Amino acid sequence: MRVAEDSKAETAVVIKKYANRRLYNTQSSSYVTLDHLSEMVKQGVEFEVRDARTGEDITRSVLTQIIFEEEAKGQNLLPIRFLRQLIRFYGDPMQSFVPGYLDLSMQSFIKNQEEMRERIAKVFGSGHQAVEQLARQNMAMFEHSMQVFAPFATPQEPPSPPPASTDINDLKTQMEEMRRQLAELSQRK
């Protein structure tokens, strides 16, 4: 595994972050923004961000900053309950297992992404009930995967389910967002 990481590091684009918060792409010899880095991620370009003064790898904090910026723009991808559960794992004895588990879950999700796209395409012709059912199934699958660790966590507040009408409205909003994202994806191809 270490050999794969070393070869990945050798091919990754190096981005230097300066004290003035500017980001410099050493491959293209140009300054970039967080939006540029976000696009690089979406295009599958591997990069690492290094502090220009110390050489320290700060990729994790920059990627986290990109997520924060996307969430602030209204691109709400991370449910509040998920964020609360994630925060609860910091300092918990199970903390060391969470990154690997989340990585495996995301890899599984990516593998099934094409199948999901096909199912969604078929469902859009079947009406809102089928779309809502698919959204419920996907949400339940994701919540179940997060609750695998819940018995080990120390809950500080029990999650309360929202009213049923809110669930349906949330699902409709999520489905509209999924439609918009699918339209964007199809335009890119």
Side-chain angles (χ1 to χ4, degrees), residues 103-132:
D103 190 40
L104 286 173
S105 296
M106 186 56 76
Q107 292 304 318
S108 176
F109 180 79
I110 290 168
K111 284 181 182 177
N112 295 319
Q113 187 175 16
E114 192 58 40
E115 180 184 326
M116 284 178 47
R117 283 185 185 159
E118 290 173 10
R119 289 178 67 192
I120 288 172
K122 288 178 185 177
V123 168
F124 279 138
S126 303
H128 289 292
Q129 292 174 341
V131 172
E132 289 175 4

Side-chain angles (χ1 to χ4, degrees), residues 33-99:
T33 64
L34 290 176
D35 287 336
H36 289 118
L37 295 182
S38 178
E39 282 304 312
M40 289 173 71
V41 169
K42 291 173 184 174
Q43 294 169 3
V45 176
E46 292 291 329
F47 64 85
E48 60 181 47
V49 183
R50 298 248 170 220
D51 183 283
R53 186 176 55 81
T54 65
E56 176 187 1
D57 185 350
I58 56 171
T59 307
R60 180 182 309 277
S61 65
V62 171
L63 291 174
T64 303
Q65 188 176 358
I66 291 170
I67 292 169
F68 175 78
E69 294 289 327
E70 291 295 329
E71 290 283 322
K73 290 177 189 174
Q75 300 288 331
N76 299 322
L77 185 65
L78 302 171
I80 289 175
R81 186 173 13 181
F82 171 81
L83 293 171
R84 286 186 174 142
Q85 288 173 337
L86 193 60
I87 290 169
R88 286 183 184 127
F89 281 114
Y90 283 97
D92 186 274
M94 297 300 292
Q95 177 179 340
S96 63
F97 295 105
V98 174

Side-chain angles (χ1 to χ4, degrees), residues 23 28 79 90 108 131 141 149 171 182:
L23 299 162
S28 67
Y90 283 97
S108 176
V131 172
M141 179 181 73
F149 286 111
L171 287 172
L182 285 171

